[in-house]
Amino acid sequence: MRIAAGGIAFLVMATMASAALATGPEGHADLATRGGTVVGIRAGHQAPFVIAHRGASRYAPENTLAAVDAAHRRGLVWVENDVQRTKDGRLVVIHDTTLNRTTDAAKVFPGRAPWRVRDFTAAEIARLDAGSWFGKQFAGERVPTLADYLRRLDRNGQGLLLELKAPEEYPGVEAQALRELRALGWLDRAHIRHRLVVQSFCVRCVKRVHRLMPKVRTGILGAPSVRKLRRYARFADQINPRMAEVSSKWARAVHRLRGPHGRRLEIYAWDVGAKESAQSVQGRGVEGVID
């Protein structure tokens, strides 16, 4: 997303000090960053907060540690990722349920189409080049394990919007993800309150995460009908739709409700058009964008 600066009170370059103010989902301060620039500090209003989609995927191969670091360099203090499970039960960070779009799996394992993530061991996936498709300078970048990804976020001081990707293919992944988050220190008070949200298109899975760990903030991907919102607010703190699905009326219905932690439901939209401005996004009732 390219958030325009027009109509915003003033524009300043991001520094680590100013980026630290942008705490993201859960009291997301009063600024948003895009490409290293703070694009919103507006008198009496909060600008849409930007979460780096699959890391800074405009500047580095998506869902890699390089993308995490690219977001960090640009002052983006929250990133979004996708988590799946390997054949031998390890959690890895990759968007597609197949490996061939963003790795050289077809070359390394030519006889194993359709190259589903679930059909490969973690050791096999670790052999793959997940960077060359994006640019020669990223040759040798790997598909990270969730553990490595969390360690890098901690090193950078970033927050995580973690998506359970295709959970119907990975029974029990909700509990497994929570165990790994706990093992890496991500279920302590500071992470839970300020640096972690778990989301999914699978409503049952979001509900399961809330049941297993009620303190963790959760989000439902998509734009459920207004009649479903009250039920979802029992276990979800965010409703995160495609931007094209957001109307002002629908957003008002979302914001009338409070989630399980007593705060007003939030909306973080994705697939935001390049022509959208900060004013138009904010005018439709969106707290932030996943871009």
Side-chain angles (χ1 to χ4, degrees), residues 22 39 93 107 118 124 136 150 153 165 210 215 226 244 258 284-285 288:
V39 295
V93 178
K107 179 180 177 180
R118 68 184 188 189
E124 289 172 330
K136 292 181 180 179
L150 293 173
L153 291 175
K165 176 64 67 172
H210 177 70
K215 291 183 179 181
V226 171
R258 292 187 176 273
R284 289 160 74 177

Side-chain angles (χ1 to χ4, degrees), residues 12-278:
V12 295
M13 292 306 296
T15 63
M16 292 311 298
S18 64
L21 295 173
T23 56
E26 194 271 329
H28 40 78
D30 59 354
L31 59 86
T33 63
R34 181 69 178 97
T37 302
V38 178
V39 295
I41 303 177
R42 194 174 181 185
H45 295 83
Q46 290 181 338
F49 187 88
V50 179
I51 297 172
H53 190 216
R54 308 178 200 174
S57 54
R58 295 177 188 268
Y59 305 98
E62 63 183 60
N63 273 326
T64 63
L65 300 185
V68 170
D69 290 342
H72 178 59
R73 288 193 298 272
R74 288 163 174 80
L76 292 162
V77 295
W78 274 73
V79 301
E80 181 265 359
N81 76 356
D82 306 274
V83 173
Q84 299 187 60
R85 187 164 63 206
T86 66
K87 183 178 181 179
D88 54 341
R90 298 284 301 280
L91 296 181
V92 293
V93 178
I94 188 169
H95 177 268
D96 296 5
T97 56
T98 54
L99 296 158
N100 53 305
R101 180 177 67 86
T102 57
T103 78
D104 59 349
K107 179 180 177 180
V108 178
F109 301 106
R112 295 178 63 178
W115 301 286
R116 289 186 294 253
V117 174
R118 68 184 188 189
D119 294 336
F120 288 78
T121 67
E124 289 172 330
I125 292 176
R127 293 172 53 189
L128 302 176
D129 180 343
S132 290
W133 69 274
F134 189 89
K136 292 181 180 179
Q137 69 271 36
F138 297 106
E141 193 70 28
R142 303 301 175 189
V143 175
T145 64
L146 177 59
D148 286 341
Y149 201 92
L150 293 173
R151 292 188 185 101
R152 184 60 58 90
L153 291 175
D154 263 337
R155 190 192 77 175
N156 293 346
Q158 291 164 296
L160 175 62
L161 178 57
L162 184 157
E163 179 180 347
L164 298 174
K165 176 64 67 172
E168 64 279 358
E169 296 193 19
Y170 310 110
V173 71
E174 304 92 344
Q176 183 180 3
L178 289 171
R179 286 195 300 270
E180 193 143 331
L181 287 163
R182 183 183 295 281
L184 272 294
W186 276 69
L187 294 186
D188 64 11
R189 180 181 175 87
H191 284 82
I192 284 179
R193 291 192 66 182
H194 303 294
R195 293 178 57 192
L196 177 66
V197 177
V198 178
Q199 66 174 0
S200 180
F201 282 100
C202 172
V203 175
R204 292 192 306 275
C205 301
V206 173
K207 187 175 183 179
R208 194 170 297 129
V209 169
H210 177 70
R211 177 173 55 81
L212 291 169
M213 185 59 59
K215 291 183 179 181
V216 170
R217 286 172 290 148
T218 56
I220 292 172
L221 282 160
S225 64
V226 171
R227 64 183 177 83
K228 293 180 179 179
L229 289 174
R230 188 171 299 279
R231 174 161 56 92
Y232 290 173
R234 298 171 187 168
F235 53 85
D237 301 272
Q238 299 176 3
I239 306 294
N240 298 338
R242 189 186 301 272
M243 191 68 202
E245 298 175 301
V246 179
S247 69
S248 298
K249 182 178 179 180
W250 181 85
R252 287 195 297 272
V254 173
H255 288 150
R256 279 196 290 268
L257 299 171
R258 292 187 176 273
H261 299 104
R263 292 186 290 271
R264 190 182 76 164
L265 289 187
E266 294 182 316
I267 301 170
Y268 283 78
W270 46 276
D271 197 13
V272 181
K275 294 182 179 180
E276 292 277 4
S277 67

